[in-house]
């Protein structure tokens, strides 16, 4: 097992070095972090180092074919995550070809269906309803997958898109197929789509999404999931998700600006009682975010996931100082607040954590 891991790491390092030497404009993003965590239940104080490394090899931004290869690996000594396959390190590897009448995308990448940085019911490709996210990360949803998609323009603001998800098991019946339609109705963006894929069993998913502007940007989406093997009205009701959000950027005097965001996720047939909640049946979740930048090089952020029905929350506060071009010092503190049995609480898997580190992009 150790020999296989060493071979895998050696192969990936060789790919990194070869890619960097051959690429016209490689981009390296490196985050080095020191974390101190405290667990209330066991009263343990822990300290460790972490790293987030991303190497991107994008093509030139010209021509009819463009693409990118990106390798990414994350390590945290407090919660080690082993690399079990090359796919764990290949973050992106795709090409986009522009034909006269359509556009083709193939490889490992991410398609954005609907709107929302944390909660997005329209994201039936990857799922954007889980609260198991790291609020200290700049990008809250970043999952990628292998696919082939064809985008066919129907007008200046309209298109149809088909997507094919290859089987990862080698069985043809495990492949996924879907599509969406996108258009504008006045000043409102309208889209809807369908996807069938193999999860535990084969499921069929449908969604619709709207986005517009009323001063702040607003967005709203809804989706349902139907189990092919045992469709029941009760399960369809439980799968119903509704998400929405508001976003506004306020520019102040000088270089100051303030961005405000509020997102919500609702399960209409979930548990609406004021009692301890579970993630699978929680009827209402909120995500507020405030980012204040007093200068172009300094920013402060406050993020939270709120469960109003059991009065619990996951809270994160952070600061980033761009000292030099591409180099920044960062600090974050995150902690759950809730009672035992609540969605967010001080159990054996939760801790308050202080993270200090540096980020360098070159």
């Amino acid at each position: 097992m150790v020999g296989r891991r060493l071979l895998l790491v050696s192969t990936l390092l060789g790919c990194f070095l070869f890619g960097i030497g051959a690429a016209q404009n490689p981009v390296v993003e490196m985050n080095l972090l020191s974390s101190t965590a405290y667990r209330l239940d066991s009263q343990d104080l822990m300290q460790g180092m972490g790293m987030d490394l991303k190497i991107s090899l994008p093509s030139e931004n010209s021509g009819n074919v463009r693409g990118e290869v990106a390798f990414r690996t994350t390590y945290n000594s407090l919660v080690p995550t082993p690399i079990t396959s090359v796919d764990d390190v290949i973050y992106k590897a795709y090409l986009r070809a522009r034909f006269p009448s359509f556009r083709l995308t193939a490889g490992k990448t991410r398609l954005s269906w609907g709107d929302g940085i944390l909660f997005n019911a329209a994201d039936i490709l990857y799922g954007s309803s889980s609260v198991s996210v790291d609020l200290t990360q700049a990008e809250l949803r970043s999952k990628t997958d292998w696919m082939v998609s064809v985008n066919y323009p129907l007008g200046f603001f309209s298109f149809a898109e088909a997507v094919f998800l290859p089987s990862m098991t080698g069985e043809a019946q495990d492949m996924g197929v879907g599509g969406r339609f996108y258009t504008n109705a006045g000043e409102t963006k309208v889209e809807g789509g369908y996807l069938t894929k193999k999860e535990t069993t084969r499921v069929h998913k449908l969604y619709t999404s709207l986005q517009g502007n009323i001063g702040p940007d607003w967005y709203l989406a809804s989706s349902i999931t139907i189990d092919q093997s045992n469709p029941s009205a009760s399960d369809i009701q439980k799968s119903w998700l509704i998400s929405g959000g508001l976003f506004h950027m306020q520019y102040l005097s000088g270089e100051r600006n303030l961005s405000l965001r509020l997102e919500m996720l609702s399960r209409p047939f979930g548990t609406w009682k004021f009692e301890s909640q579970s993630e699978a049946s929680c009827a209402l979740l909120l995500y507020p975010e405030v980012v204040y930048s007093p200068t172009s090089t300094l920013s402060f952020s406050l993020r939270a996931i709120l469960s109003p029905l059991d009065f619990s929350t996951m809270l994160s506060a952070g600061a980033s100082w761009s000292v030099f071009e591409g180099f920044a010092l960062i600090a974050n503190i995150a902690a759950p607040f809730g009672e035992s049995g609540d969605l967010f609480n001080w159990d054996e898997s939760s801790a308050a954590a202080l993270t200090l580190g540096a980020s360098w992009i070159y």
Side-chain angles (χ1 to χ4, degrees):
M1 180 63 70
V2 175
R4 291 182 179 178
R5 290 183 180 176
L6 288 174
L7 178 61
L8 174 61
V9 172
S10 300
T11 302
L12 291 173
L13 286 175
C15 292
F16 291 163
L17 296 175
F18 175 79
I20 291 176
Q24 296 294 324
N25 50 346
V27 178
V28 178
E29 181 177 349
M30 179 171 55
N31 298 317
L32 298 177
L33 307 170
S34 174
S35 299
T36 302
Y38 176 73
R39 288 181 175 172
L40 181 64
D41 62 323
S42 61
Q43 297 185 351
D44 289 335
L45 183 64
M46 301 166 292
Q47 198 281 330
M49 289 296 297
M51 175 199 69
D52 187 2
L53 175 65
K54 180 181 176 183
I55 301 177
S56 300
L57 309 172
S59 65
E60 293 184 357
N61 193 23
S62 62
N64 291 318
V65 182
R66 303 177 186 178
E68 179 185 7
V69 175
F71 302 96
R72 184 175 185 178
T73 184
T74 300
Y75 174 75
N76 187 333
S77 61
L78 294 178
V79 188
T81 303
I83 297 174
T84 58
S85 69
V86 175
D87 202 40
D88 293 337
V89 179
I90 299 177
Y91 176 57
K92 290 182 179 180
Y94 70 92
L95 62 84
R96 289 195 176 104
R98 182 173 58 190
F99 293 86
S101 58
F102 68 93
R103 295 180 180 179
L104 172 70
T105 300
K108 189 175 186 182
T109 185
R110 181 177 180 89
L111 286 181
S112 297
W113 290 8
D115 298 276
I117 66 169
L118 182 66
F119 295 134
N120 180 9
D123 184 18
I124 58 178
L125 282 166
Y126 315 98
S128 292
S129 60
S130 171
V131 297
S132 299
V133 296
D134 185 356
L135 292 181
T136 66
Q137 295 292 318
E139 191 176 9
L140 299 180
R141 305 289 187 188
S142 58
K143 179 177 172 57
T144 60
D145 210 347
W146 297 96
M147 66 181 65
V148 175
S149 70
V150 176
N151 185 295
Y152 185 80
L154 300 173
F156 196 69
F157 293 110
S158 302
F159 63 82
E161 184 174 60
V163 61
F164 166 75
L165 306 177
S167 170
M168 295 292 103
T169 64
E171 302 291 335
Q173 63 267 25
D174 292 340
M175 67 180 183
V177 179
R180 67 165 170 162
F181 174 74
Y182 179 107
T183 190
N184 277 10
E187 297 183 354
T188 302
K189 181 203 75 175
V190 180
E191 68 175 285
Y194 161 81
L195 177 72
T196 176
K197 67 176 183 176
K198 180 72 176 292
E199 294 182 346
T200 305
T201 60
R202 178 160 292 277
V203 296
H204 302 269
K205 300 186 176 187
L206 299 99
Y207 85 92
T208 184
S209 174
L210 303 172
Q211 189 271 329
N213 182 278
I214 53 174
D217 294 333
W218 64 269
Y219 40 94
L220 183 67
S222 177
S223 67
I224 60 171
T225 300
I226 303 172
D227 192 311
Q228 178 173 292
S229 61
N230 186 27
S232 67
S234 176
D235 289 341
I236 295 173
Q237 290 175 347
K238 292 178 181 178
S239 75
W240 186 17
L241 296 176
I242 297 175
S243 68
L246 294 169
F247 174 77
H248 180 65
M249 174 72 78
Q250 181 65 49
Y251 294 96
L252 307 174
S253 60
E255 297 180 333
R256 298 181 302 152
N257 63 75
L258 177 70
S259 71
L260 304 171
R261 185 185 299 271
L262 177 63
E263 295 185 354
M264 72 89 183
L265 178 74
S266 175
R267 296 176 177 85
F269 289 90
T271 303
W272 286 96
K273 297 179 180 179
F274 287 95
E275 60 184 20
S276 294
Q277 299 286 311
S278 66
E279 183 174 351
S281 61
C282 186
L284 181 63
L285 292 168
L286 300 175
Y287 171 70
E289 177 187 88
V290 179
V291 179
Y292 173 65
S293 299
T295 69
S296 61
T297 60
L298 183 63
S299 68
F300 302 94
S301 64
L302 183 65
R303 292 171 164 178
I305 305 177
L306 306 176
S307 176
L309 297 175
D310 63 9
F311 303 104
S312 66
T313 181
M314 174 62 74
L315 184 65
S316 172
S320 175
W321 177 30
S322 298
V323 186
F324 307 112
E325 183 178 357
F327 176 78
L329 298 176
I330 53 180
N332 290 286
I333 185 169
F337 295 92
E339 299 179 352
S340 178
D342 290 347
L343 184 59
F344 304 103
N345 61 81
W346 289 88
D347 60 17
E348 63 277 2
S349 61
S350 299
L354 171 65
T355 302
L356 302 174
S359 175
W360 187 26
I361 301 176
Y362 63 93

